[in-house]
Amino acid sequence: MLESDSDHNLFVNFYLYCFRIFIQPRMNLNVANVEKFKTIRTGEDYIQSLRGRDLKIYLFGELVKEPVDHPMIRPSINAVAETYDLAVREEELASAHSSITGLKVNRFLHIAESAQDLVLQNKMQRKLGQNTGTCFQRCVGMDALNALHSTTFEIDEKHNTNYHKRFLEFVKMVQKENLVIGGAMTDPKGDRSKGPAEQDDPDLFTRVVAKDDKGIYVSGAKAHQTGCINSHWIILMPTVRLTENDKDWAIVGAIPADEKGVTYIYGRQSCDTRSMEEGTIDVGNAKYGGQEAIIVLDRVFIPWDKVFMHGEYEFASMLIERFTCYHRRSYVCKTGLGDVLIGAAATIADYNGIPNVSHIKDKITEMTHLNETIFAAGIASSYQAHKMKSGVFLNDDMLAQVCKHNVTRFPYEISRLAQDIAGGLVVTLPSEKDFIHPIAGPLLKKYLIGRKGTSVENRIRILRLIENMTLGRNAVGYLTESMHGAGSPQAQRIQIQKQMQIGYKKNLAKKLAGITNDIEKPNENSDYFNRVFKTNNSIL
Ligand SMILES: Cc1cc2nc3c(=O)[nH]c(=O)nc-3n(C[C@H](O)[C@H](O)[C@H](O)COP(=O)(O)OP(=O)(O)OC[C@H]3O[C@@H](n4cnc5c(N)ncnc54)[C@H](O)[C@@H]3O)c2cc1C
Ligand code: SF4
């Protein structure tokens, strides 16, 4: 009998040691398979679960041996680890009771059972943005799971397939093991004016290349994939509306991130190699960063039980629209980053001795106004959710589009104001090594002093954070991801235009203007105002 935790740990370590030395080599298993015996709970458990997976990752023209220990990759892993630790520290915010498994699960794996669940997703996203100052990478998977719940249900309804049941089994597995799911929608797309079947190279959109009684084989690639190397499973989905000619591209399936035939080519970020230098100042945010990579798929096998769409091309647009509806409101994550940047701007104003100057206070007020405008649309979209046929809740689409469209603009203005307040040093600061140099260091400490009583090092640290978020590594997450992630600005304008019910609005104007002979019954493909005026939103 084991007397204590340390006895237990000794036993487990001894068991794992024997397993690795004597049994594993004969079973052709890797360390990750061994670690999977243990359910992930904390950030540290999660980090250990990523070790030894033997992923094929190219970075700087070389294969990465162990991404967990790579100084440029590790900050992105730390950001995902924080999603686990938050669920331990603030259980109500970052976990939820799942009626699929009957377990308390990480909120990133939860299927929304009420509008309140969606509201809490947004609150969790803002908190994680505040804690990490970067993209914490798990929302694409969360939004893909929720979009697939209703889409697989409705495909089955029409085609008498059994995708929904398979999908629920997958959800049970990932909830029980508490895994990270990456969502892979964006294909490289080649000539943007052409669909998948019209491209010269059919691999420019991910497609089925073979099938047998065990499953299907897919080839192609997925571009800009957030957190893919930090995921345990990746869900492949189509990225554009498909036609009958595109049946081979109408594929949704889940693959383990370490599946045979998967190659990752790591995406560079501005100033990324600073993470490989000594010191913690120049990097700006030493602990956290985002991650994107291109995933190349070479005849990757997906067993039938992990296939959730196969050939039902007419459902591709339903899946994309539902996914982007969830995901465009998930971009309230950026308000958490905005909170950090506003705090940084106020701090540098303080260190520079001008915290009470009227134009500075006004600029910080403007930054806050823009940031809260993003949050307002996102959280309102979640509150205005409705129940789908499958039972999952879907947030309001119009407000989700507005949220994301604001995100394509406001972080740029917030960044501009932060740089205005910070001054030119944000781009002209010497390196950390010069600050500790016996001759250059004292000179810099003399000439880079701010308000009396403030530390030069603190002043430099906050300037480097502003640089990190507006020009450096985490500008990927705060700016360009805000522009293109979940779809470029025009994609939201198209959705807003589709739903704006202009006929209804013209009639409002005509009635008040006294026009009685020109009132038409609007023929509009949107029920936005029905949702606005619905009075029985018993959501909480
Ligand atoms: C940091 C980051 C993280 C991301 N993470 C993920 C992820 O985890 N998973 C995922 O699936 N995707 C992810 N994406 C991809 C994102 O959804 C795409 O970047 C986005 O859909 C735009 O596609 P694109 O980058 O290929 O740009 P393009 O499609 O080349 O768009 C560039 C411009 O061309 C316009 N354009 C493109 N096609 C047409 C057309 N046919 N007609 C008219 N105008 C057109 C666009 O409106 C835009 O203005 C991420 C992107 C970024 C930048
Ligand atoms: S950009 Fe935001 S919503 Fe998307 S994965 Fe990163 S943190 Fe989540």
Side-chain angles (χ1 to χ4, degrees):
M1 192 177 137
L2 301 173
E3 296 288 327
S4 64
D5 279 359
S6 63
D7 285 347
H8 177 77
N9 287 343
L10 268 175
F11 174 77
V12 171
N13 287 338
F14 179 69
Y15 168 76
L16 286 175
Y17 174 79
C18 294
F19 191 94
R20 282 195 185 107
I21 300 296
F22 302 115
I23 304 174
Q24 186 191 337
R26 288 171 183 78
M27 290 177 68
N28 197 24
L29 290 176
N30 61 26
V31 180
N33 296 117
V34 180
E35 304 289 357
K36 275 177 197 159
F37 288 133
K38 185 173 154 197
T39 302
I40 301 166
R41 201 176 85 86
T42 64
E44 190 47 40
D45 294 342
Y46 160 70
I47 291 170
Q48 294 313 323
S49 78
L50 298 182
R51 286 193 181 279
R53 292 191 300 167
D54 204 20
L55 302 179
K56 194 171 168 195
I57 308 164
Y58 285 99
L59 172 57
F60 297 133
E62 289 175 4
L63 282 172
V64 175
K65 281 204 183 80
E66 177 49 84
V68 174
D69 297 324
H70 196 292
M72 222 177 90
I73 299 178
R74 184 56 179 264
S76 70
I77 296 175
N78 293 339
V80 181
E82 173 61 8
T83 67
Y84 283 93
D85 285 334
L86 187 73
V88 175
R89 286 199 314 272
E90 297 191 40
E91 206 179 280
E92 289 305 307
L93 184 62
S95 63
H97 181 270
S98 163
S99 55
I100 296 176
T101 47
L103 298 172
K104 187 146 249 192
V105 300
N106 190 292
R107 194 171 288 289
F108 283 102
L109 298 169
H110 183 53
I111 301 295
E113 297 177 14
S114 65
Q116 174 73 346
D117 275 340
L118 294 166
V119 168
L120 285 169
Q121 284 180 358
N122 282 158
K123 294 187 181 200
M124 170 184 73
Q125 287 161 325
R126 185 160 187 172
K127 178 57 76 79
L128 284 165
Q130 291 182 348
N131 290 358
T132 62
T134 189
C135 166
F136 37 87
Q137 306 151 47
R138 285 189 78 178
C139 322
V140 193
M142 174 178 78
D143 296 334
L145 288 179
N146 279 276
L148 278 166
H149 192 278
S150 62
T151 308
T152 52
F153 186 91
E154 290 176 44
I155 302 177
D156 287 354
E157 232 183 17
K158 181 170 173 202
H159 291 281
N160 209 15
T161 40
N162 65 345
Y163 297 126
H164 191 64
K165 191 162 167 283
R166 290 177 189 174
F167 170 74
L168 289 180
E169 289 305 313
F170 177 71
V171 172
K172 274 184 206 160
M173 185 270 289
V174 298
Q175 286 188 346
K176 281 182 188 155
E177 293 191 27
N178 198 11
L179 302 177
V180 174
I181 312 299
M185 186 167 261
T186 310
D187 293 290
K189 295 182 292 193
D191 182 337
R192 268 73 175 147
S193 68
K194 294 180 176 169
E198 299 163 332
Q199 301 286 336
D200 288 345
D201 180 350
D203 290 344
L204 289 170
F205 288 80
T206 301
R207 68 194 171 116
V208 179
V209 289
K211 63 177 171 179
D212 58 27
D213 55 338
K214 294 195 188 69
I216 58 173
Y217 298 80
V218 295
S219 286
K222 291 288 178 186
H224 324 289
Q225 293 306 303
T226 294
C228 50
I229 288 156
N230 300 341
S231 302
H232 300 105
W233 283 81
I234 294 169
I235 300 181
L236 306 172
M237 299 170 281
T239 195
V240 288
R241 180 182 297 272
L242 300 174
T243 67
E244 199 171 352
N245 295 336
D246 303 318
K247 268 188 170 176
D248 288 344
W249 288 267
I251 168 69
V252 177
I255 55 168
D258 53 358
E259 186 58 62
K260 191 167 160 261
V262 179
T263 302
Y264 301 90
I265 308 172
Y266 210 85
R268 292 215 64 174
Q269 297 174 326
S270 173
C271 309
D272 51 11
T273 47
R274 289 194 194 181
S275 307
M276 296 162 76
E277 296 171 5
E278 283 170 29
T280 58
I281 297 181
D282 290 356
V283 77
N285 178 347
K287 188 162 182 192
Y288 299 115
Q291 174 188 93
E292 284 80 31
I294 298 175
I295 309 178
V296 179
L297 306 154
D298 180 15
R299 295 181 73 83
V300 174
F301 174 65
I302 313 182
W304 286 115
D305 68 320
K306 300 290 183 302
V307 174
F308 311 131
M309 179 194 288
H310 177 232
E312 295 82 6
Y313 65 90
E314 76 277 25
F315 282 90
S317 52
M318 177 190 281
L319 176 63
I320 295 162
E321 281 179 16
R322 289 183 187 174
F323 167 77
T324 51
C325 178
Y326 287 116
H327 202 44
R328 288 179 185 165
R329 137 236 80 120
S330 279
Y331 269 69
V332 298
C333 67
K334 302 304 175 206
T335 59
L337 278 71
D339 293 328
V340 174
L341 193 55
I342 293 166
T347 304
I348 194 63
D350 189 15
Y351 290 171
N352 287 349
I354 50 167
N356 297 319
V357 169
S358 67
H359 83 95
I360 297 288
K361 284 202 287 190
D362 189 52
K363 281 168 183 159
I364 289 171
T365 307
E366 174 67 5
M367 292 163 87
T368 305
H369 164 71
L370 294 170
N371 205 40
E372 298 303 337
T373 303
I374 294 170
F375 189 68
I379 199 103
S381 170
S382 293
Y383 272 108
Q384 288 288 80
H386 59 281
K387 195 173 184 175
M388 309 297 283
K389 283 194 230 172
S390 69
V392 67
F393 274 69
L394 179 66
N395 51 286
D396 187 86
D397 193 60
M398 171 68 104
L399 296 174
Q401 306 299 332
V402 171
C403 172
K404 175 68 213 317
H405 206 54
N406 287 339
V407 170
T408 67
R409 298 172 172 179
F410 297 169
Y412 287 87
E413 179 61 8
I414 294 171
S415 297
R416 189 183 74 80
L417 291 167
Q419 289 190 356
D420 174 353
I421 293 169
L425 266 183
V426 92
V427 293
T428 63
L429 268 179
S431 75
E432 183 174 351
K433 279 194 175 152
D434 291 317
F435 279 94
I436 54 175
H437 186 271
I439 297 168
L443 292 174
L444 291 173
K445 280 180 192 138
K446 173 179 163 68
Y447 288 108
L448 295 186
I449 193 79
R451 177 173 57 76
K452 192 173 175 198
T454 58
S455 131
V456 173
E457 182 182 321
N458 289 349
R459 187 165 178 245
I460 288 155
R461 282 186 179 276
I462 212 74
L463 286 164
R464 285 291 182 210
L465 181 67
I466 295 171
E467 181 197 32
N468 170 276
M469 297 186 75
T470 63
L471 295 161
R473 223 186 149 165
N474 286 325
V476 173
Y478 192 49
L479 298 178
T480 319
E481 188 169 49
S482 294
M483 176 73 82
H484 288 293
S488 313
Q490 187 60 17
Q492 293 107 57
R493 294 186 86 82
I494 291 168
Q495 290 301 105
I496 291 171
Q497 193 180 28
K498 266 206 247 171
Q499 299 178 73
M500 65 191 182
Q501 292 192 246
I502 203 68
Y504 171 92
K505 287 174 185 164
K506 275 160 75 180
N507 282 348
L508 294 177
K510 286 175 187 173
K511 276 180 199 160
L512 286 181
I515 299 170
T516 53
N517 59 353
D518 188 26
I519 303 288
E520 290 168 29
K521 189 168 165 30
N523 177 20
E524 289 169 330
N525 182 23
S526 168
D527 57 358
Y528 175 60
F529 281 109
N530 287 343
R531 295 199 298 278
V532 169
F533 296 116
K534 200 167 154 199
T535 52
N536 63 343
N537 258 8
S538 54
I539 60 161
L540 295 176

